[in-house]
Amino acid sequence: MKRFALLLIVGFCFSAAAVAQNDKPKLYNPEADAKADIKKAVDRAAVEGKHVLLQFGGNWCGWCILFSEKVASNDTLRTAMDDNYVSLHVNWSPENKNEDVLAKYGHPERFGFPVFVILDAKGNRLHTQNSAYLEEGAGHNTRKVLEFFNHWSPAAIDPKNYKE
């Protein structure tokens, strides 16, 4: 009887863990073809006059989820991102580490996750952002995130905006 009760408890724990895992947002797709998705994002950015914001991370990464939720729930941040960037979540997980893509962009994973890479509309890397500089307390600082979005927007780096 004790053995049956123990098996029942262990089974319940595994079921609860599986349900909790399924409740987490799935922002990153381990099966995605990152190279093809980035090419589509760059092509779209060229048409729309935007940059590309690559957010490297995974569904396992609490800070990655927090960042995405912060931007999605804040009208100012969401507008700044949508107006200036084609955004793409690029997976890093045991199932798919996208090592060739990370190598192409200078190994941004050295900063941890999430990490952001800004590309211009031709696919050239403009900037790599360590997300730790955007954090404050148990989340991300709205002012710092907005500054990051604004400082790397197409208008911010357009030389025409710096003529006297």
Side-chain angles (χ1 to χ4, degrees):
M1 184 65 172
K2 288 182 183 179
R3 194 179 215 175
F4 176 73
L6 181 61
L7 287 173
L8 190 60
I9 290 169
V10 169
F12 175 77
C13 289
F14 278 114
S15 296
V19 168
Q21 182 71 15
N22 288 334
D23 287 346
K24 290 183 180 179
K26 302 291 187 221
L27 300 173
Y28 297 86
N29 181 359
E31 298 172 11
D33 181 345
K35 288 179 187 175
D37 291 346
I38 292 169
K39 181 180 180 341
K40 288 178 195 170
V42 168
D43 291 346
R44 184 174 148 209
V47 169
E48 296 179 11
K50 297 179 180 182
H51 286 161
V52 176
L53 173 66
L54 302 177
Q55 180 179 328
F56 288 91
N59 295 318
W60 53 268
C61 171
W63 282 97
C64 300
I65 304 303
L66 280 174
F67 183 86
S68 294
E69 288 175 347
K70 171 88 172 187
V71 173
S73 66
N74 183 299
D75 291 340
T76 303
L77 295 178
R78 188 176 58 251
T79 299
M81 186 169 71
D82 291 346
D83 286 353
N84 295 293
Y85 302 95
V86 174
S87 63
L88 179 66
H89 291 90
V90 181
N91 185 75
W92 186 95
S93 68
E95 300 85 12
N96 185 355
K97 295 182 180 180
N98 281 306
E99 292 169 326
D100 53 342
V101 173
L102 290 164
K104 178 178 181 176
Y105 297 115
H107 293 284
E109 72 275 20
R110 68 188 182 276
F111 297 116
F113 297 100
V115 63
F116 309 99
V117 174
I118 304 290
L119 308 178
D120 67 13
K122 294 179 182 175
N124 300 310
R125 181 170 58 103
L126 298 174
H127 177 68
T128 299
Q129 179 67 45
N130 180 340
S131 66
Y133 297 125
L134 307 176
E135 296 170 7
E136 185 173 83
H140 296 90
N141 178 287
T142 301
R143 179 188 53 76
K144 292 177 183 179
V145 174
L146 186 59
E147 284 179 358
F148 164 55
F149 287 164
N150 288 337
H151 288 171
W152 291 98
S153 68
I157 65 168
D158 185 346
K160 290 183 270 183
N161 292 328
Y162 295 99
K163 290 185 179 177
E164 292 186 38

